[in-house]
């Protein structure tokens, strides 16, 4: 006998702490061992994909999820995810009553009509890293309102939710999913450099992080960053060495080892070639404020900090 599949319908009260709440927010993470069940909701779901990949099943269609993608799921549309390894998303959920007073104004905007339409298989609405950080901040604020419950918190939650929706409408643009996936691959390779620069790193390993062939990875990296992957790695290691030279009394041998150089003489030679000065002369100089270089990618908060000096 065929198994009867029960329809799963989620209610807003599953995510709220007060029966008067009409909006809420949370961060949602799916790891490869987690199970995503087909379901629908009685409320709107505004979703911003922070990291990860996988497939999004929406109303009978299947789309690959890409980093920094945003979409709005209306009430009572069946959906679920599959094929993910680590999928991290921001969710802003709200009842139709929150949107209703402003629906006509929103629907005059082409960006809102694209956001509320079913996601396209070939293209996706994408926001910048800066906007994703701002959405992350708003998500946290909405969560804190539900904890603090100070006077006016229900109204602030709804306004903050509409703010997130408005920012996405004004700040998103339609991009090819394939191009965005390639960009996510480069992002993964750069994160690997940042987290493992003290260890041996091969070009083959970076290409594997990006899920690309070595030639394809090199071409894409050069086009995106205007430098080669190996040059980027070398400059990053020298930047980390500058930080250690200023902030510690480590020997040059120790600095070299902690920044991925196995030969001190090679480290000194490369430092001079990039910084235009020897490591010891650099250490003895006066230094101003540390800063982030313009050529490095913007990252989400959980990524390790990067500190560079001129």
């Amino acid at each position: 006998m065929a198994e009867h599949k029960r329809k799963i319908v989620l209610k807003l009260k599953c995510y709220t702490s007060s029966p008067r709440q009409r909006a809420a927010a949370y961060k949602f993470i799916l790891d490869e061992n987690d199970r995503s069940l087909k379901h629908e909701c009685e409320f709107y779901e505004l979703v911003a994909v922070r990291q990860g990949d996988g497939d999004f099943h929406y109303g009978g269609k299947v789309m690959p999820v890409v980093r920094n993608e945003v979409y709005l799921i209306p009430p009572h549309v069946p959906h679920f995810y599959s094929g993910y390894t680590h999928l991290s998303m921001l969710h802003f959920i709200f009842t139709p009553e929150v949107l209703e007073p402003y629906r006509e104004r929103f629907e005059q905007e082409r960006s809102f009509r694209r956001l509320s339409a079913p996601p396209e298989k070939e293209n996706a609405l994408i926001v910048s890293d800066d906007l994703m950080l701002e959405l992350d901040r708003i998500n946290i604020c909405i969560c804190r309102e539900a904890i603090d419950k100070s006077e006016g918190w229900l109204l602030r939650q709804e306004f903050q939710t509409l703010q997130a929706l408005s920012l996405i409408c004004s700040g998103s643009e339609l991009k090819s999913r394939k191009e965005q996936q390639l960009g996510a691959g480069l992002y993964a390779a750069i994160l690997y450099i940042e987290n493992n620069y003290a260890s041996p790193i091969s070009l083959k390993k970076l290409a594997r992080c990006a899920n690309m062939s070595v030639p394809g990875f090199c071409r894409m990296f050069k086009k995106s960053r205007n430098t080669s992957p190996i040059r980027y790695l070398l400059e990053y290691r020298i930047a980390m060495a500058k930080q250690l030279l200023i902030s510690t009394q480590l020997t040059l041998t120790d600095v070299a080892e902690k920044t991925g150089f196995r030969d001190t003489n090679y480290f000194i030679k490369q430092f001079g070639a990039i910084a235009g000065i020897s490591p010891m002369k650099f250490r003895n100089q006066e230094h101003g404020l540390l800063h982030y270089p313009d050529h490095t990618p913007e990252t989400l908060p959980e990524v390790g900090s990067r500190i560079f000096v001129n």
Side-chain angles (χ1 to χ4, degrees):
M1 186 186 336
E3 179 184 355
H4 176 69
K5 293 185 177 180
R6 184 170 60 91
K7 184 178 180 181
I8 301 176
V9 181
L10 301 182
K11 301 178 182 294
L12 191 70
K13 66 181 181 180
C14 300
Y15 301 90
T16 58
S17 56
S18 167
R20 295 184 298 150
Q21 268 183 270
R22 302 194 302 181
Y26 59 93
K27 294 180 181 179
F28 186 50
I29 297 177
L30 281 170
D31 286 315
E32 57 185 340
N33 294 325
D34 295 329
R35 187 181 179 192
S36 174
L37 298 175
K38 183 177 181 180
H39 65 281
E40 57 186 73
C41 303
E42 291 188 343
F43 47 82
Y44 282 95
E45 286 182 90
L46 180 60
V47 182
V49 181
R50 300 170 76 237
Q51 294 184 51
D53 54 24
D55 291 326
F56 178 44
H57 300 251
Y58 176 97
K61 295 183 178 181
V62 183
M63 284 78 58
V65 175
V66 293
R67 176 178 171 269
N68 283 24
E69 180 179 3
V70 291
Y71 44 87
L72 180 65
I73 307 173
H76 302 294
V77 176
H79 59 280
F80 67 99
Y81 299 90
S82 67
Y84 41 81
T85 50
H86 179 81
L87 191 55
S88 174
M89 299 173 284
L90 301 176
H91 277 230
F92 301 87
I93 59 178
F94 53 95
T95 65
E97 290 76 18
V98 172
L99 180 61
E100 195 56 40
Y102 309 96
R103 176 183 290 279
E104 185 176 350
R105 181 68 60 85
F106 270 114
E107 288 182 344
Q108 293 174 1
E109 302 295 330
R110 181 185 176 190
S111 55
F112 177 79
R113 296 196 299 271
R114 289 193 309 195
L115 179 68
S116 54
E120 299 179 18
K121 190 165 186 178
E122 301 298 328
N123 300 308
L125 279 174
I126 303 297
V127 299
S128 67
D129 286 342
D130 278 344
L131 182 47
M132 185 61 74
L133 287 172
E134 179 62 15
L135 293 174
D136 193 35
R137 185 194 66 79
I138 296 173
N139 191 279
I140 292 172
C141 287
I142 294 173
C143 293
R144 285 176 176 166
E145 294 288 0
I147 296 172
D148 297 340
K149 290 186 172 60
S150 57
E151 185 175 354
W153 71 279
L154 292 169
L155 187 59
R156 286 194 298 274
Q157 275 196 324
E158 294 180 15
F159 282 161
Q160 289 162 347
T161 300
L162 291 170
Q163 180 190 13
L165 179 60
S166 179
L167 286 173
I168 287 175
C169 287
S170 62
S172 59
E173 56 180 321
L174 203 62
K175 291 186 177 181
S176 161
R177 288 185 184 275
K178 184 175 180 180
E179 289 183 7
Q180 189 68 9
Q181 284 176 316
L182 291 175
L186 294 183
Y187 180 83
I190 289 172
L191 287 186
Y192 185 84
I193 288 174
E194 294 177 355
N195 293 325
N196 299 277
Y197 64 88
S199 303
I201 297 178
S202 67
L203 193 55
K204 185 176 181 180
K205 175 62 180 179
L206 293 177
R208 191 158 56 243
C209 287
N211 198 27
M212 300 169 68
S213 67
V214 171
F217 171 68
C218 290
R219 285 194 300 271
M220 186 62 64
F221 199 102
K222 177 72 174 179
K223 181 180 179 181
S224 175
R225 302 297 169 190
N226 200 31
T227 189
S228 70
I230 296 304
R231 178 71 179 185
Y232 183 92
L233 171 61
L234 182 59
E235 290 180 352
Y236 191 86
R237 283 171 166 165
I238 295 301
M240 294 298 99
K242 287 180 178 181
Q243 179 186 344
L244 290 177
L245 288 168
I246 294 174
S247 61
T248 74
Q249 294 301 314
L250 292 172
T251 66
L252 291 187
T253 299
D254 289 338
V255 170
E257 184 176 350
K258 287 182 178 296
T259 52
F261 295 94
R262 297 296 173 259
D263 182 280
T264 305
N265 290 331
Y266 178 74
F267 163 67
I268 294 172
K269 180 181 178 181
Q270 294 301 322
F271 191 100
I274 291 176
I277 190 174
S278 72
M280 288 308 297
K281 286 184 179 180
F282 177 84
R283 170 175 269 172
N284 294 330
Q285 281 183 337
E286 291 292 331
H287 298 285
L289 293 175
L290 304 184
H291 67 279
Y292 297 101
D294 293 335
H295 71 276
T296 56
E298 295 172 8
T299 56
L300 295 172
E302 61 265 26
V303 176
S305 61
R306 291 188 299 272
I307 304 178
F308 292 74
V309 294
N310 276 327

